[in-house]
Every structure is written in structure tokens, then in C-alpha cells.
Amino acid sequence: MEPVSIVPWDDKSIEDEPVWFQGLLHRMGDEETIRFLPFAYGTCVCPDCGKRAAYWDWLAKFIGYGWCGG
């Protein structure tokens, strides 16, 4: 897994989901979950084919169809 860098939220925009979600979690005082956000919004490499994609894409494929849809 390769984590993504999440910049601080401007307290206004909801265009960038990881930034907005991190800002919301800060407001709620949930520092524990914030530690995992860079990984949740990061990327992974398929162990079968070597393709890099967003973690959430791989998770959906793994749960539903196996790593590469096969």
C-alpha cells in the first residue's frame, strides 16, 4: 500500500473527499481514524498482475470478484 498525502481542510470546500473527511474527523476529535486515512485513500498493487489502483477499487474487486475480476 502506498499512502496518499492529505492537506489540511479549508473548512469550506467539499470537493476533495479525503481533505474534507479528515477535516470533519478533526472537528469530531477522532485522531485515531485520521491516522488511517492516507492508507484508505492511497493505492495498492495487485499481487497477480502488478497493476496499481486506488485501495477502494481493489477492495471492491477483492470482495466481489477476486483481485483482477477473475
Side-chain angles (χ1 to χ4, degrees), residues 2 7-8 13 18 24 26 30 36 46 48-49 57 60 67 69:
E2 185 173 313
V7 298
S13 176
L24 177 65
H26 269 299
D30 190 351
F36 298 101
C46 176
D48 294 332
C49 72
D57 292 343
W67 280 109

Side-chain angles (χ1 to χ4, degrees), residues 1 3-8 13-15 19 29 34 39 42-46 49-50 53 58-62 69-70:
M1 291 185 76
V4 69
S5 179
I6 303 174
V7 298
S13 176
I14 59 171
E15 296 297 316
V19 172
I34 289 171
F39 294 98
T43 59
C44 293
V45 175
C46 176
C49 72
W58 288 124
L59 182 61
K61 288 179 182 182
F62 177 73

Side-chain angles (χ1 to χ4, degrees), residues 9-59:
W9 186 37
D10 65 3
D11 292 327
K12 299 173 195 160
S13 176
I14 59 171
E15 296 297 316
D16 191 342
E17 182 180 329
V19 172
W20 170 83
F21 192 38
Q22 178 177 266
L24 177 65
L25 292 172
H26 269 299
R27 283 187 173 193
M28 294 172 29
D30 190 351
E31 301 302 315
E32 184 69 22
T33 303
I34 289 171
R35 295 181 332 140
F36 298 101
L37 284 184
F39 294 98
Y41 286 100
T43 59
C44 293
V45 175
C46 176
D48 294 332
C49 72
K51 179 181 175 185
R52 179 174 298 281
Y55 170 75
W56 291 117
D57 292 343
W58 288 124
L59 182 61

